[in-house]
Amino acid sequence: MAKRAYPFTPTDQLTEEQAAAELARLAKLIAEHDKRYYQQDAPTISDAEYDALRQRNNDIEARFPELIRKDSPSQRVGAAPTGRFKKVRHAVPMLSLDNAFSDQDVADFVDRVVRFLKLNEPPVFTAEPKIDGLSLSLRYEAGKLVTGATRGDGAEGEDVTANVKTLHDIPHALKGRNVPDVVEIRGEVYMTHDDFIALNKRQAEADEPVYANPRNSAAGSLRQKDPAITASRKLKFFAYAWGEMSAMPADTQAGMVEWIEARGFSINPLFKLCHSVDAMLAFYRDIEQRRAALGYDIDGVVYKLNRLDWQQRLGFVSRSPRWAIAHKFPAEKATTVVNDIDIQVGRTGALTPVAKLEPVTVGGVVVQNATLHNEDYIKGIGNDGNPIRGGTDIRIGDTVIIQRAGDVIPQVVDVVLEKRPKSARPYEFPKTCPVCGSHAVREEGEAVRRCTGGLICPAQQVERLRHFVSRDAFDIEGLGEKQVQAFYNDGLVMEPADIFTLAERDKRATKKLADREGLGETSVRNLFAAIEERRKIPLNKLIYALGIRHIGETNARLIARHYGDVDAFLEGMTAAGAGPDSEAYRELTNIGGIGEVVADAIVEFFKEKKNREALDRLLEQIEVEPMEKVKSDSPVAGKTVVFTGSLEKMTRNEAKAQAERLGAKVAGSVSKKTDYVVAGPGAGSKLAEAQKHGVTVLSEDEWLAMVGG
Ligand code: IVH
């Protein structure tokens, strides 16, 4: 087994008790990573790190077989399907492969096969690249494609038939005569590097999320609800295996692959037969050399015993066949120097540190940047608060080891401390935004530091403007996402106030809005009218429109109801900036439903002078309608109320508005936290729930008597 460094106790030093705890931890951790990989197409660790976790699990289980858990990752493959598509039960389970990481692992594998079959010499193996895509099973009945299914958890996958039919590499009918009644062809769906780059470019232009790597984009593209989208993604398919077969057309692996090719499938052109361990290892090295030039991602090679009768005799152990093994490539690493650390500001204001590297080639790609994730990562602290890299921090001038593993963004995985220059100082993470200069804050329990200059920070402005004009905020018709971006690009609308001066400025402009592409006299007139209509806005909508972290519609309403009008609100926010001990801060956190996290977010926003100035410019343009203030001395202030059944003296909406005005929170369902259930005739399950939880039940009249109206 290849030697790998674990930041944990070596498996052979674990006591039984520690082993049991470690297996429980690994089962949970691997299940989480499986979910991210298989269901969300968004892995957070590299394949090499994932393999190391599984390997550790296997090693511990090999030492303590009595501790193997029912939910152990060794007992299942992948994660359950996501539920978005119809489920398909595989006639023959779709299994996985055991991994080899070193030459010795491969030799051991061949030895095991030789011993099991009692042979005198190594048998013939097929060798082929291990494609880094997602596996797919295609069922043909009477020669016609009837089902295409993903692997899912190995037993049950997702029905993606309509989508797979759009792939050019997948025949709708098998070529040739007399094909067996039932034929299941299995293989890998993948995306070429060129198609991946082109897709991400299109995604970025359309402001859609970009994919992390070709594998994720292949998975995301195949699991689209609309087959037309899959069709536009140019997915490819290599066939390399089979599932249920009503008759076997060949008796070797190579014979089967040849037969599959003759039925109209693409098979990998590098497929080869190997007659010795040396030949297998030579194949591995050859493919490793060609890897960068293949044009698609592979993460190793796969060896399979050629004779099918011998495959059958060897059978399976838990999730993988004994007759095949994946010889994985090591994660690609290189050593280089950190020339600088740059801070990038994302659209939501997150500050992400990036190492600017002395350019270095990793696996055929020149790398100049590597992500440093966040402030703690630079300091040598992991997401769970525990040390990483043995607690070593990363400094400008350090020699570091970088890794490119499947993911497109390389990472700094270690520091070569012996090479640290004397002059290197610990990196000071900036406390202000490098783009706009606003102060940047890190909430308790969060790894990310964020810029607070939402309204004026160029890195975030477009996002904030979009939010500002969105439906639940200012709701300006005719000012959609594209228009906001276009106006921003041309310097016409840089901050909310600019929206309201647009018409005035247009009068004086030489190039009128109506002359722009996609706009005309009528749409410009309509747009200006829509803007005028929103010059008057209720306080809660204004607060929500500012796009402050944690201030959604509900919190905006709670705050607006408390302060009543915009002047009281601004005064309250300014005074609360004096800190948690101030009366104003306490007033804010005393509003039912507003905790410290929310209070801090809004206070930080108002502490930033540039935000205040941008808001003042906006307030010069608009009129903010006051809201009826909550009566904080009302008997229901801070209480949670549920209305159920029909009400006779007021509508449900009136009841809700009244309760909220009085400082109560109106909930949709009953729980332990509910204070009152107001039940009218016809009340059903909510009444029963209230009785179950011992919640006070009031009639409509009793409620009205209590609130005094
Ligand atoms: S054979 C019974 N051949 O790797 C095993 N798998 O880690 C059948 N894969 O689930 C799999 N290229 O998704 C095989 N040439 C290849 C492969 C390949 C990629 C994938 C496949 C499998 C996974 C196992």
Side-chain angles (χ1 to χ4, degrees):
M1 181 66 9
K3 251 189 131 69
R4 260 177 268 105
Y6 296 119
F8 321 114
T9 316
T11 37
D12 55 0
Q13 288 172 22
L14 289 173
T15 63
E16 184 163 343
E17 202 178 320
Q18 286 170 329
E22 184 64 354
L23 287 177
R25 184 185 81 90
L26 287 166
K28 193 161 161 253
L29 192 63
I30 293 171
E32 276 168 26
H33 288 304
D34 279 344
K35 198 167 155 198
R36 290 193 193 123
Y37 184 91
Y38 289 108
Q39 297 184 357
Q40 301 164 350
D41 302 323
T44 51
I45 58 171
S46 69
D47 290 357
E49 287 167 299
Y50 175 81
D51 286 342
L53 290 178
R54 278 201 102 112
Q55 192 61 47
R56 182 168 167 83
N57 190 73
N58 291 352
D59 291 349
I60 301 174
E61 287 185 345
R63 263 196 78 208
F64 299 99
E66 68 284 0
L67 295 183
I68 297 180
R69 303 164 59 91
K70 268 214 199 87
D71 64 350
S72 164
S74 65
Q75 307 301 305
R76 62 186 162 77
V77 184
T82 57
R84 285 202 302 161
F85 291 90
K86 215 172 75 193
K87 288 179 185 163
V88 180
R89 183 151 279 276
H90 299 300
V92 176
M94 289 184 80
L95 295 163
S96 190
L97 292 170
D98 225 356
N99 290 327
F101 295 100
S102 67
D103 292 0
Q104 191 56 50
D105 289 349
V106 177
D108 290 349
F109 159 71
V110 174
D111 268 355
R112 281 198 300 275
V113 171
V114 167
R115 262 185 284 126
F116 193 101
L117 296 171
K118 299 197 171 63
L119 306 175
N120 294 322
E121 54 180 354
V124 177
F125 285 91
T126 62
E128 63 201 286
K130 184 171 187 297
I131 317 298
D132 197 8
L134 72 152
S135 47
L136 184 70
S137 187
L138 302 164
R139 188 177 172 90
Y140 292 82
E141 286 174 4
K144 298 272 178 296
L145 176 60
V146 290
T147 318
T150 63
R151 180 169 70 170
D153 64 3
E156 228 174 35
E158 292 173 327
D159 185 342
V160 286
T161 313
N163 294 354
V164 302
K165 282 187 172 166
T166 68
L167 269 67
H168 293 300
D169 284 345
I170 295 180
H172 292 195
L174 295 175
K175 269 196 197 163
R177 289 159 190 264
N178 297 330
V179 288
D181 257 359
V182 175
V183 172
E184 275 184 14
I185 303 295
R186 290 178 177 177
E188 204 83 354
V189 175
Y190 66 101
M191 190 178 275
T192 65
H193 292 162
D194 286 349
D195 289 337
F196 167 68
I197 291 163
L199 168 62
N200 263 359
K201 193 161 166 259
R202 291 200 304 272
Q203 293 281 105
E205 278 164 9
D207 259 312
E208 295 288 334
V210 293
Y211 290 103
N213 56 45
R215 197 214 79 86
N216 293 345
S217 71
S221 302
L222 188 68
R223 290 147 88 216
Q224 291 286 333
K225 269 289 171 201
D226 177 2
I229 298 182
T230 307
S232 73
R233 300 284 175 89
K234 302 217 183 91
L235 294 173
K236 295 210 153 58
F237 180 74
F238 276 133
Y240 53 66
W242 58 93
E244 190 185 355
M245 298 285 297
S246 56
M248 285 299 282
D251 55 11
T252 59
Q253 183 76 30
M256 281 300 288
V257 169
E258 206 177 301
W259 181 84
I260 290 172
E261 187 183 20
R263 303 285 75 73
F265 290 92
S266 297
I267 62 154
N268 192 282
L270 302 165
F271 182 94
K272 204 174 166 176
L273 285 177
C274 293
H275 295 261
S276 67
V277 173
D278 283 346
M280 292 157 87
L281 298 178
F283 178 83
Y284 174 83
R285 283 187 237 300
D286 179 43
I287 299 295
E288 199 175 18
Q289 291 263 311
R290 298 174 183 221
R291 182 180 184 185
L294 288 180
Y296 51 86
D297 276 352
I298 62 171
D299 56 348
V301 302
V302 184
Y303 311 118
K304 297 170 191 166
L305 184 62
N306 195 32
R307 270 179 64 165
L308 300 185
D309 56 338
W310 286 354
Q311 285 190 3
Q312 195 129 41
R313 271 173 60 193
L314 278 150
F316 296 81
V317 251
S318 62
R319 67 184 194 114
S320 7
R322 280 202 196 83
W323 43 264
I325 200 156
H327 191 178
K328 301 286 281 274
F329 294 136
E332 293 170 287
K333 289 189 180 160
T335 303
T336 186
V337 173
V338 178
N339 286 332
D340 203 358
I341 294 177
D342 224 23
I343 302 288
Q344 290 179 353
V345 185
R347 297 198 311 189
T348 56
L351 268 54
T352 306
V354 176
K356 303 308 253 181
L357 305 167
E358 192 57 36
V360 63
T361 306
V362 197
V365 176
V366 179
V367 171
Q368 305 192 57
N369 300 313
T371 177
L372 293 171
H373 304 290
N374 54 49
E375 201 164 342
D376 281 352
Y377 191 84
I378 300 179
K379 285 191 190 145
I381 305 169
N383 278 344
D384 52 5
N386 289 322
I388 46 171
R389 304 183 299 271
T392 311
D393 65 334
I394 297 168
R395 302 183 183 183
I396 296 171
D398 264 341
T399 296
V400 291
I401 297 169
I402 60 160
Q403 174 175 296
R404 235 191 89 224
D407 315 305
V408 161
I409 309 171
Q411 318 194 29
V412 172
V413 290
D414 217 345
V415 176
V416 186
L417 264 183
E418 305 83 70
K419 294 200 174 171
R420 172 168 282 176
K422 284 220 167 60
S423 57
R425 297 273 162 271
Y427 178 72
E428 238 344 285
F429 202 90
K431 305 285 183 292
T432 53
C433 171
V435 177
C436 73
S438 299
H439 69 291
V441 296
R442 187 171 162 188
E443 283 177 15
E444 207 173 298
E446 279 244 352
V448 178
R449 189 173 284 276
R450 286 172 203 277
C451 164
T452 56
L455 287 187
I456 50 91
C457 178
Q460 304 169 65
Q461 264 171 323
V462 172
E463 203 57 27
R464 290 299 176 95
L465 283 167
R466 279 185 181 157
H467 174 78
F468 187 86
V469 300
S470 65
R471 269 248 329 253
D472 299 320
F474 270 68
D475 189 19
I476 299 178
E477 216 172 303
L479 201 48
E481 299 202 349
K482 282 207 181 101
Q483 214 54 263
V484 166
Q485 180 76 60
F487 287 175
Y488 183 83
N489 291 349
D490 292 351
L492 287 170
V493 175
M494 309 302 285
E495 60 172 50
D498 296 341
I499 296 171
F500 295 96
T501 57
L502 197 57
E504 203 44 46
R505 281 181 288 139
D506 198 48
K507 277 189 204 151
R508 299 192 301 266
T510 36
K511 187 177 179 226
K512 304 272 181 218
L513 276 189
D515 302 332
R516 291 169 68 96
E517 210 184 286
L519 287 176
E521 299 260 337
T522 319
S523 45
V524 169
R525 206 173 327 115
N526 289 344
L527 173 63
F528 289 164
I531 294 173
E532 274 323 297
E533 235 175 82
R534 294 291 180 269
R535 246 184 231 279
K536 230 174 163 186
I537 189 102
L539 179 59
N540 61 321
K541 295 244 175 204
L542 170 72
I543 298 175
Y544 171 70
L546 298 177
I548 301 166
R549 219 168 131 67
H550 305 301
I551 311 288
E553 283 182 273
T554 309
N555 285 342
R557 205 167 34 236
L558 289 172
I559 294 170
R561 283 230 163 87
H562 176 83
Y563 291 99
D565 64 63
V566 69
D567 291 333
F569 166 66
L570 291 178
E571 212 170 287
M573 293 306 108
T574 312
D581 291 333
S582 63
E583 180 113 0
Y585 185 91
R586 275 200 300 275
E587 179 180 346
L588 184 56
T589 49
N590 275 342
I591 302 175
I594 303 295
E596 280 181 15
V597 172
V598 178
D600 287 345
I602 192 160
V603 167
E604 288 298 340
F605 178 92
F606 279 92
K607 261 201 219 160
E608 183 51 61
K609 199 168 139 239
K610 295 173 185 166
N611 284 337
R612 275 304 294 264
E613 289 165 358
L615 181 57
D616 287 344
R617 286 191 288 274
L618 172 67
L619 292 175
E620 277 171 25
Q621 299 296 327
I622 61 172
E623 185 189 331
V624 185
E625 294 171 323
M627 298 206 45
E628 197 169 328
K629 267 182 80 161
V630 161
K631 292 209 182 81
S632 52
D633 55 353
S634 91
V636 295
K639 304 280 188 215
T640 301
V641 189
V642 173
F643 290 98
T644 180
S646 49
L647 302 176
E648 284 159 351
K649 306 226 160 83
M650 51 189 169
T651 66
R652 190 65 79 79
N653 276 344
E654 279 167 348
K656 192 171 169 223
Q658 181 202 41
E660 285 181 346
R661 231 173 13 247
L662 295 169
K665 194 171 149 206
V666 179
S669 60
V670 181
S671 75
K672 281 204 301 266
K673 291 193 188 142
T674 312
D675 295 295
Y676 301 113
V677 167
V678 181
S685 63
K686 286 182 190 163
L687 189 54
E689 277 290 299
Q691 275 146 1
K692 194 174 105 193
H693 292 294
V695 175
T696 309
V697 178
L698 303 172
S699 68
E700 189 179 355
D701 285 337
E702 284 169 328
W703 164 258
L704 287 173
M706 187 159 100
V707 299

